[in-house]
Amino acid sequence: MGFWKTFFGGEPDSPEEEKKNAEAKNFDLLKYDGVKALRIHQTDYAIRCFREALKIHEDPETHDYLQRALLASGQLPEALVELQAMLALQPGNVAVMVQAAHVAFMMEDYAQMADFCEQAIAAESNNALAHYQLAQAKLGLGDDVTAIAQLTQSIALNEQRGEARLLRAQTLLRMGDLKGAREDIDWLLNHTVDHEDVLMMAARLSVAEGKQEEALFIYNKVSELNPFQLDALRERGRLKMDMGDKKGAEEDMRHLLELNPGELDGATGEYQAEGVEKMMKRAYSPINPFGI
């Protein structure tokens, strides 16, 4: 570049300009090598590229690529550090706050998750996802009442947010509000088609309401849709025992043990000595009727 400027009569680049140009070129090479590596799942190499690029230039997009690569490699605390760096560069970026809350949720750091959610809501009060995430954080912190309020707010902002209705139904059922849980579950059943989580919740609610035949029908439907749904087998077996169907409960127990031999410690060797009925009682007795 300096040669051509001199050749055409211009001034050559100063050493400072040449250094800046070289750094910019190296930054671009490192950043886009990292992007290419990330796309083909070479996460370790991608992480090295992004870290080297950031030594040259602070760039929110590169921090974002780096946090994605760190998440892909299971380095959650490190990914959260990158998101915090992005927030320092872009303090009002709600999308980054929401992503940071998600990573904190994966880390089970509910206090920090709540902090990110509250920041997002302060910046954008009508963000339904942030209200939903704050509810998750409050549940993690044992504050069911605030969680219900946040879920209700999330649904008010976006009535189609099915996961908020499902979580509210689960929470209400645990709190003993069967009527409130039923309203959410009926809405979900009317607006989804054979959604496994919704059907499982509907079955659990029917059990809590004393509607055993209805619950059995729904558990059967879940097992037809997904024969490997262990919770459905486990809970249906317990229900069959409560209904006096020991043979049906035994069939579910045998199937459960075939799919998950570790369901009972030493269960395989205890079939003859302990007896299937005693083993079933031992297996089914700890089941939470709410599935929570």
Side-chain angles (χ1 to χ4, degrees):
M1 183 68 177
F3 169 80
W4 289 110
K5 281 192 174 183
T6 303
F7 183 82
F8 287 112
E11 291 294 326
D13 286 338
S14 68
E16 292 78 10
E17 289 176 329
E18 288 182 354
K19 182 181 178 182
K20 286 181 181 179
N21 291 336
E23 287 180 344
K25 182 178 179 180
N26 288 337
F27 173 82
D28 288 340
L29 287 172
L30 287 164
K31 177 179 179 178
Y32 293 109
D33 270 2
V35 171
K36 286 187 286 187
L38 187 58
R39 286 175 179 166
I40 59 175
H41 309 294
Q42 293 182 354
T43 52
D44 289 343
Y45 180 69
I47 289 168
R48 291 199 299 272
C49 286
F50 295 138
R51 289 199 187 283
E52 290 301 316
L54 287 167
K55 289 179 183 178
I56 299 170
H57 174 56
E58 280 288 324
D59 173 51
E61 187 177 42
T62 305
H63 279 293
D64 186 32
Y65 283 128
L66 177 54
Q67 69 91 14
R68 294 187 204 180
L70 290 165
L71 278 180
S73 64
Q75 300 180 56
L76 302 184
E78 292 83 356
L80 193 57
V81 168
E82 297 308 315
L83 288 161
Q84 290 168 323
M86 291 172 68
L87 283 175
L89 294 169
Q90 301 175 326
N93 193 323
V94 174
V96 176
M97 297 172 194
V98 166
Q99 176 63 5
H102 173 65
V103 175
F105 177 70
M106 295 171 68
M107 295 168 59
E108 299 184 4
D109 187 343
Y110 301 114
Q112 191 166 27
M113 181 186 184
D115 183 56
F116 285 125
C117 293
E118 286 162 358
Q119 290 180 48
I121 291 168
E124 190 177 289
S125 61
N126 63 345
N127 191 303
L129 176 57
H131 285 283
Y132 171 73
Q133 289 181 311
L134 183 54
Q136 290 180 305
K138 292 299 182 180
L139 286 172
L141 294 168
D143 186 353
D144 289 355
V145 174
T146 302
I148 291 293
Q150 289 299 319
L151 289 168
T152 301
Q153 179 66 15
S154 179
I155 294 164
L157 290 167
N158 180 2
E159 66 174 9
Q160 299 302 315
R161 186 163 284 282
E163 66 269 32
R165 290 184 184 272
L166 181 59
L167 185 56
R168 187 170 68 176
Q170 292 170 338
T171 307
L172 290 170
L173 176 57
R174 188 177 66 249
M175 295 171 70
D177 183 354
L178 304 189
K179 182 177 182 295
R182 172 54 65 187
E183 290 174 0
D184 278 332
I185 287 302
D186 284 346
W187 189 96
L188 288 164
L189 289 171
N190 289 328
H191 290 80
T192 60
V193 178
D194 294 340
H195 190 290
E196 187 174 298
D197 291 339
V198 172
L199 291 173
M200 284 294 295
M201 186 60 200
R204 290 162 179 163
L205 179 56
S206 294
V207 170
E209 292 172 330
K211 302 174 182 176
Q212 293 182 320
E213 292 292 343
E214 180 179 296
L216 183 60
F217 175 82
I218 299 171
Y219 280 128
N220 289 341
K221 187 172 185 178
V222 174
S223 292
E224 289 171 6
L225 292 169
N226 180 6
F228 303 100
Q229 224 297 357
L230 300 184
D231 286 337
L233 278 173
R234 192 179 296 112
E235 293 171 30
R236 185 177 67 180
R238 170 61 184 269
L239 178 60
K240 287 178 178 178
M241 278 196 69
D242 290 345
M243 296 174 70
D245 182 5
K246 293 183 181 179
K247 181 179 179 181
E250 180 182 336
E251 289 174 356
D252 279 343
M253 171 56 69
R254 291 184 184 278
H255 190 194
L256 187 60
L257 288 170
E258 288 172 5
L259 295 175
N260 184 26
E263 181 69 20
L264 291 174
D265 293 336
T268 304
E270 294 175 2
Y271 254 107
Q272 298 301 322
E274 183 177 345
V276 175
E277 184 174 344
K278 287 184 180 179
M279 191 173 64
M280 285 191 300
K281 288 180 179 178
R282 184 157 65 88
Y284 291 140
S285 59
I287 294 176
N288 185 318
F290 302 148
I292 297 169

